Amino acid sequence: MKSGWKWMLAGLVAVAAGTAWAQGSDENITKDQVVAIVDMAAEAIAADAQGTFVKITSSEHPFVDQANPALYVFVYDMDVNMMAHPNKALPGRNY
């Protein structure tokens, strides 16, 4: 199950982190930046999911990029429940 979480969350993190990049944001977010934040978040989640969710929800760097706050991580589970998001009002909601 742990490895399943890693891949499921990595994919969801990719969607989350890539939103501004995919939409052609004026924030100049590159594909390489998205891949890097996804890889970093997936590793952190695999090592300590709950601790990482706390850091994401607390808007901690590197889960919210200090140089470009438009690049950030949020995470859904397989039931489309928001597990972690820098906007503290969103975790726990189901979409």
Side-chain angles (χ1 to χ4, degrees):
M1 179 82 173
K2 196 169 196 177
S3 64
W5 266 98
K6 179 180 178 184
W7 291 111
M8 182 271 304
L9 292 174
L12 295 173
V13 170
V15 171
T19 300
W21 173 72
Q23 293 176 353
S25 171
D26 293 334
E27 302 297 328
N28 298 318
I29 296 171
T30 68
K31 180 180 177 182
D32 290 340
Q33 288 173 301
V34 172
V35 170
I37 200 169
V38 167
D39 289 346
M40 176 276 307
E43 288 178 20
I45 291 166
D48 178 16
Q50 290 304 317
T52 301
F53 294 167
V54 168
K55 291 176 181 179
I56 292 169
T57 302
S58 298
S59 300
E60 288 187 24
H61 181 78
F63 303 103
V64 175
D65 189 87
Q66 290 178 338
N68 188 351
L71 179 62
Y72 62 90
V73 174
F74 61 88
V75 182
Y76 288 105
D77 70 8
M78 293 295 285
D79 295 319
V80 200
N81 296 304
M82 182 69 71
M83 301 301 293
H85 194 288
N87 178 339
K88 290 177 177 50
L90 298 181
R93 294 178 103 181
N94 178 269
Y95 295 89

